[in-house]
Amino acid sequence: MSDMRKLIIGSNEQKQRLDKFLRKYMCNASLSFVFKSIRKNVKVNGKRQGGEYVLRVGDEVTLYISDEELRALTFRGNPPGVKKQFSICYEDENILVVNKPAGLLTHGDKTEKKNHLTNQVITFLAQRGDYDMAGERTFSPAPVNRLDRNTSGLVIFCKNYVALQDFNRMVKERGIIRKFYLTVVGGELTNELHLKSGMIKDHESNRITVVSDTSGGAVSTHAKAMETKVTPIEAANGYTLVEVELLTGRTHQIRAHLADEGYPIIGDAKYGDAGVNAEIKKRVGLTTQLLHAYKLRFENCPKPYREMEGLEIVSEPRGRFVEIRKKLLT
C-alpha cells in the first residue's frame, strides 16, 4: 500500500470543493490524476467523497500516496523574488491596498510571467513573514480588482481565503466598494454624464464595442449592461480633467464609454482619437492612456467588515499625471 498523508483543513482551505482543493494542492498533477485519486486514493474523515464535496474547517483529508510522489506533485518553487514597485495605501488583517504604477501588469500573462504586481505582493508578504508560501497548501494572496497595464492606482489584495471570497462578492455587488478614477479627456466637458449602454467583447482582439441600450438592461443575450458616471473637474484649452465612477465593472469600460460619448481619454491607442493622441504625443510625449484609480469608498459593508463603513482610501495622482495635467489645462 502507498504511504499515507493526512491533511487537516484550515481556514484558508475551507469552502472549496474537494476536487478544486486537490487541483490547487497537487499543482503539478494532471486533471485525470486528480480525479483518479479522488476515486481510489483519497478519503475525507475516513470516507470516500465525490469531487463536489465542500470542505469544512477541521475535515481530515487522507491521501494514499508516497511522500516522494507527493513532494513532486505539490512543489511550487521558491518565492518569485521580484523587486517591489508598489506603495501601500491601507492595510488590516484581511486586506492590503496598494498603489500600482502604470506599466505594470496586475496578473502575469504570456508576455510576462514573473514580474507583475501579484508576484510583487506575494514576495513582499512572504519576506515580511505574513505569508508562508511553503506552508500554505492552496491559498496565495490575490487581487479582487484588476487594472490594465497602463492604468495606475489602487488594487485590493486579500491576505486570507475567507476575505478573498467575501471581497470578491463585495466588488461584484453594487454600492459596497465604490471605485473612482481620474483622467484627462479630449474635449471640454461642462456637465455631468451618466452613461448607460450595453457592451460586447471581442476576446480575440481584447476589445469591447459599446451598443445602444434602450431597454434599461443588456440589449441582447450577448451584451452586458454597462454604467458609468462622469463628473468634470477642470476644463480648459480643449481638454477636461474628470472624475469617473464605475457603477459596473466591465473590461475597458471607462475607456470605451468616454470614447463613445466623444470624450476620448488622451493617449489611449485602443479607443482614443488618433488626432488627439498625435497632438498629445507631440506636446507631452504620452503614448498610453492617462488613467488613475485614485479612490475607494466603502459603504453598506456586511457584518464582518462593519469597521470599514465610511472608509475612504485615496491615492492622489502624482509625477507624470500631474505634469501632463498642468501642461494641458493651465
Side-chain angles (χ1 to χ4, degrees), residues 83-86 99-107 112 114-118 120 147-152:
K83 183 180 178 182
K84 176 175 173 284
Q85 294 174 272
F86 62 87
N99 184 51
K100 183 187 85 69
L104 182 67
L105 287 169
T106 303
H107 296 282
E112 179 56 76
K114 180 179 178 181
N115 188 29
H116 50 82
L117 181 64
T118 299
Q120 289 187 17
L147 300 180
D148 295 336
R149 179 197 287 268
N150 293 311
T151 298
S152 59

Side-chain angles (χ1 to χ4, degrees), residues 169-270:
R169 284 194 296 268
M170 290 160 65
V171 164
K172 292 176 183 177
E173 292 180 19
R174 187 160 170 169
I176 298 179
I177 303 177
R178 298 176 63 186
K179 300 181 288 292
F180 299 85
Y181 294 69
L182 291 174
T183 187
V184 175
V185 299
E188 294 191 16
L189 178 64
T190 56
N191 300 314
E192 183 179 281
L193 301 175
H194 194 156
L195 308 176
K196 294 182 181 181
S197 68
M199 61 81 78
I200 298 175
K201 183 175 181 179
D202 183 330
H203 293 277
E204 288 189 11
S205 64
N206 192 31
R207 182 186 176 94
I208 71 169
T209 300
V210 178
V211 292
S212 61
D213 184 0
T214 58
S215 62
V219 296
S220 75
T221 57
H222 301 294
K224 295 181 179 180
M226 192 165 62
E227 188 172 358
T228 310
K229 190 175 179 180
V230 185
T231 304
I233 298 173
E234 179 184 7
N237 307 319
Y239 300 97
T240 308
L241 173 70
V242 297
E243 177 190 78
V244 181
E245 181 179 6
L246 278 180
L247 300 178
T248 55
R250 307 300 183 193
T251 301
H252 301 167
Q253 176 174 325
I254 295 173
R255 298 163 61 187
H257 241 169
L258 284 169
D260 185 69
E261 193 65 18
Y263 298 97
I265 293 176
I266 61 171
D268 188 350
K270 181 166 284 192

Side-chain angles (χ1 to χ4, degrees), residues 18-24 26-27 29-40 42:
L18 176 62
D19 54 358
K20 291 186 176 180
F21 167 78
L22 291 173
R23 287 176 66 183
K24 293 177 186 176
M26 297 189 291
C27 56
S30 67
L31 190 59
S32 61
F33 180 90
V34 170
F35 285 112
K36 181 180 178 181
S37 296
I38 292 172
R39 292 194 304 271
K40 296 184 176 182
V42 176

Side-chain angles (χ1 to χ4, degrees), residues 302-314:
K303 188 174 181 180
Y305 308 100
R306 289 282 168 77
E307 71 278 2
M308 301 185 72
E309 185 69 26
L311 174 68
E312 280 195 355
I313 303 171
V314 178

